[in-house]
Amino acid sequence: MYASGPLTDNVSADITVSARHQGDGYGTNLATGKDAYKTDHDIAVRSKWLFQIGEATQARLALDYKNSDSSDPSFAPIYGTKAPASGGLFFPDNPYDVKTDVNPYHKIKAGGAMLRLDHEFDEVTLTSITAYRQMRYTTLFDGDISETPFVDVFYKQNDDQISQEIQIASNNGGSLEWIIGGYYFDLDGRYDPYILNVGIPIDSPAFIFQRKLDQKSITRSTAGYVQASYEFLPDTTLTGGFRYTTEIRKLSGTTTTTTPGGASVVPNDQSDDYSVPTWRIVLDHKFTDDVMGYVSYNRGFKSGGYSPAAPNVVAYLPEYLDAYEAGFKSLLWGGRVRLNAEAYFYKYKDIQVNTYDGTVGVVYNGAEAEVYGIDVDFDAVVSDRVKVFGGFSLIDSEFTSFPLAVIATPNPDGTASTAPGSATGNKIQLTPDATVSLGVALNFPLAEGNLDIVVNDLYNSGYFTQTDNFLEQPSFHMLNGSITWTSPNEAYSLRLWADNLLDEQVAGSFTVAAGASVIGYQRPRTFGATLGVNF
């Protein structure tokens, strides 16, 4: 449901409410009889308010809330990574079936508020942006992915964050435009708690150990920035920006390890701080009113931090990126065709990558990586009734230096062992060599209403999910389509739709584990009907 409109002469608002319940999962947990890959409920509410306080002052308030409970994704071993007869593992014929003693769940409660104040003076605009967000996430999953009770993982992750930004920007419309600002960010995150059980239940003779983490992580970030754009020649603009960021990261808490012989508690306290300058330079030129070309150089960084669920793993460093780009944006043939293209070169230092320490996800640093690529996208109005849209991307990615990566090696029984090794020359994870999209939208006027048909396909050449290039998602097509009838007065609409028409099995995640490699899938073919009412 969506509603929008004025409430008074000076106040306007909108609200969006969506709720989803999935009756059956895409698969079944054959050990428990419960649904797998099922969203029991997913509720979201968003609302924005605009207050015209005076002729020169506006306030915008945005609120949002989300509540979801699902067993999507669920995980199963990948066929061929261990002999089906060994270890009691289940290799399903239906990729969405699982067979685990623990039925996984993921529960999220999250919400936030943002208040933006703008006041226009004669020559400048003063802006204040204040935001607060909260997230509560609870999950349980089977660490050994079998029907035998052996390993399970349960944790609650609670995050609270506030931010404050102040901006002063020019508003005189001259050849020089500028903005100066300051930013503050404060995040408190907690595992409350994180529990790994091996040999369960804890009071059984099979109990081996339990690791319980009570961890708190803190991030405090402050930054100042300035950016200016100057049209030094007709239709030619030079933009420069500079930002200086200071961050403090802290991790504190305890790790309690319980074995049949007793319990031990180990404190964990770490702290790091970073002061990082970043910048951007852009030169753009309008060749005509409809064609603009540009070149740019940007230095950015991604914050360092910790892997709280694995406090024995060292902190990871900030990631640095130098991005060089050149391209153009255009409207051709009287605006009937939009064509944009860009060539780029990215150079990473201390690139952050993901791996697993047992069943625990951790982040660590690679040394250097490079990415070359070309992106092209377009849409064309062929006629009043036909529109074509699409694009393609060609990417060449490589770790140019990565001497100490986590490398998986296959064993004779189909499992894999991990050990330190070189990933130099490997492709960057989750980076396909090519993607191509193509779609068409058709419009047919009817005696009673209007009919719209949309079909689009995305081709992906495939990608590796980890730096060792051990597990690969093969190439796939994601074909979607819809047919929508709209009544003459636009009061009613009926949409028939289908996603993943080819029923491609696309991995949402791969994991190399000691017992067997694990996979969780994206949605299979789904189809349905949607009725819309406007009033």
Side-chain angles (χ1 to χ4, degrees), residues 134-290:
Q134 182 185 88
M135 188 272 288
R136 302 290 182 259
Y137 175 59
T138 305
T139 187
L140 171 70
F141 60 91
D142 192 329
D144 57 283
I145 57 169
S146 76
E147 60 182 319
T148 303
F150 186 59
V151 180
D152 66 32
V153 179
F154 168 83
Y155 65 87
K156 292 182 177 180
Q157 181 180 345
N158 301 330
D159 290 337
D160 295 89
Q161 68 182 54
I162 60 171
S163 63
Q164 176 64 52
E165 187 167 2
I166 300 292
Q167 301 174 349
I168 302 175
S170 62
N171 63 8
N172 55 17
S175 58
L176 176 64
E177 297 180 350
W178 54 267
I179 184 171
I180 298 173
Y183 179 77
Y184 174 73
F185 176 81
D186 187 314
L187 169 65
D188 287 344
R190 300 178 300 282
Y191 275 132
D192 189 24
Y194 184 105
I195 299 175
L196 167 66
N197 290 314
V198 179
I200 48 179
I202 195 170
D203 57 354
S204 74
F207 174 69
I208 298 175
F209 79 90
Q210 178 191 81
R211 185 171 67 186
K212 180 180 179 182
L213 291 84
D214 292 285
Q215 301 285 351
K216 181 178 181 179
S217 61
I218 296 174
T219 301
R220 305 284 186 267
S221 179
T222 57
Y225 59 87
V226 59
Q227 180 170 297
S229 297
Y230 179 57
E231 187 176 356
F232 64 96
L233 291 174
D235 297 321
T236 303
T237 302
L238 179 65
T239 299
F242 181 81
R243 181 185 182 104
Y244 193 83
T245 304
T246 298
E247 288 195 351
I248 298 174
R249 290 262 188 167
K250 294 182 179 180
L251 180 68
S252 62
T254 59
T255 301
T256 302
T257 302
T258 303
T259 67
S264 62
V265 180
V266 177
N268 179 37
D269 291 289
Q270 303 182 57
S271 64
D272 290 277
D273 59 86
Y274 313 101
S275 295
V276 181
T278 52
W279 54 83
R280 72 187 304 252
I281 301 172
V282 183
L283 178 66
D284 65 74
H285 177 74
K286 293 182 179 179
F287 296 95
T288 69
D289 290 341
D290 296 328

Side-chain angles (χ1 to χ4, degrees), residues 194 307-310 355-363:
Y194 184 105
S307 301
T355 189
Y356 283 84
D357 178 15
T359 59
V360 177
V362 300
V363 180

Side-chain angles (χ1 to χ4, degrees), residues 390-443:
F392 68 88
S393 177
L394 303 176
I395 307 173
D396 185 358
S397 67
E398 181 183 11
F399 289 105
T400 54
S401 177
F402 201 166
L404 291 177
V406 177
I407 302 296
T409 303
N411 297 321
D413 65 351
T415 61
S417 301
T418 58
S422 175
T424 301
N426 286 2
K427 292 184 178 297
I428 297 176
Q429 70 275 22
L430 304 177
T431 307
D433 291 336
T435 58
V436 182
S437 64
L438 183 63
V440 60
L442 306 175
N443 175 262

